[in-house]
Amino acid sequence: MFRAPDAWILACAAALLAGCSPGGGRPAAVPDRAVNAQWRRAGDRAGPGQWDGADGTTSVRLPDGRIAWFFSDTYLGPVNADGSRTSARLVHNSVVVQGRDGFTTVSGDSPVNPPPGVPGWYWAGDGRVRNGRVVEFYHRLNGSGAAWDFTEQGVAVATFSLPGLRLESVRELPAGPVPPGRTPVMWGAALSDDGPWTYVYGYRGHLDRPGRPKWLYVARAPRGRLADPASWWYDTGPGWSADPARAAELPTRVDSGFGIARVGDRYALVTRRPSADLGDGDMVAYLAGSPAGPFRAADSAVVYRAPETASGWFVYQARVHPELSGRGRVVFSYNVNTSLVDRRCVPQNLRQASVYRPRFVSAPLGVFRRGYSAPPARPTSIAPGWYRAC
């Protein structure tokens, strides 16, 4: 029987299970097979009105140990035996509860809608349990009706009762002054608890620049007052201010969804590397000594390279899941979508339900170091029978 060298064993132990491999000891993030299989089974076995695929994946640990999953655009099942969707029913957001008995799609007040008279729809941001309720951020978007044409319009905070996750309220936050050619600051894209504070991360999009780049904003709230922006303090660059108008646009470019992970005594902002066409599958971690950063490109790592982009699909919105992380690993997800069609112009998302589902990655702590570069993704190509246009 093969016995690994003692030195290699000791090195892995010293790295706190940082992902060593007998093939050379270099840490590497890998797909989380167990979690991906759970969601694959949930989608493939979906009944009427049940989740069978979505994007915008965020998670909240509930006091009783269950996990509430908040999604953006969601297909509702069932799925046929050949893997195709039985219908094209799509809602703009959904809530799924994971418990001992599996996954249950919350019905009733989900999806969450803007108040009467407010245009657009809501996509899910991040959330936390506070004061016996779930506080969840939602981003309001509106569009022209053309494919992929939508723009950020505002932010809302929704509260859900426990244990049943009944929607109690939806409240739009004041947008404040919005400069020409910009979006509002989209607060709640990510959250991070640290000491007495909950750090609230957002971004502002530049509509007047190619690719509509998004830049980071940071605020912090006392832990019990996350739903009360009047209690927030805003990062001004050199310090903090209670005036939201003084919030600084920080020199960190992010995707519309990202996450924060604690890695030893440092903090990692995990995001898909932004690009104009969603064609870049690299997942980047910006490292800093504080939850407020600064998160700089000079102190970053490419922690994973998503293979799906080579299949003609696109990836976006990396989100960290503390509920699944631990034991020397960080678990994050990213979303996958496609605009490919078959010969009859039927979208691949309807023919192959498995495409439009989150992918989960398990990343050892060893990849979160300055200058780390993940191994290349396995080369793939667009499968025969699929086309970029009719």
Side-chain angles (χ1 to χ4, degrees), residues 225-283:
R225 303 184 67 182
L226 178 61
D228 178 18
S231 70
W232 294 7
W233 289 81
Y234 299 87
D235 189 344
T236 64
W240 297 89
S241 172
D243 181 2
R246 296 188 61 194
E249 184 169 280
L250 303 175
T252 306
R253 191 176 170 186
V254 294
D255 200 1
S256 57
F258 51 93
I260 305 294
R262 186 70 182 265
V263 182
D265 61 353
R266 307 199 76 192
Y267 301 82
L269 186 156
V270 181
T271 180
R272 181 194 65 88
R273 180 153 54 196
S275 62
D277 61 358
L278 299 180
D280 192 336
D282 288 357
M283 304 297 162

Side-chain angles (χ1 to χ4, degrees), residues 14 48 61 70 73 100 113 117 225 296 362 371 389:
R61 172 75 72 179
F70 294 85
D73 282 350
R100 292 182 177 179
N113 296 303
R225 303 184 67 182
R296 306 182 189 277
S362 179

Side-chain angles (χ1 to χ4, degrees), residues 145-159:
W148 317 111
D149 182 17
F150 33 76
T151 303
E152 295 92 337
Q153 301 288 318
V155 178
V157 172
T159 57

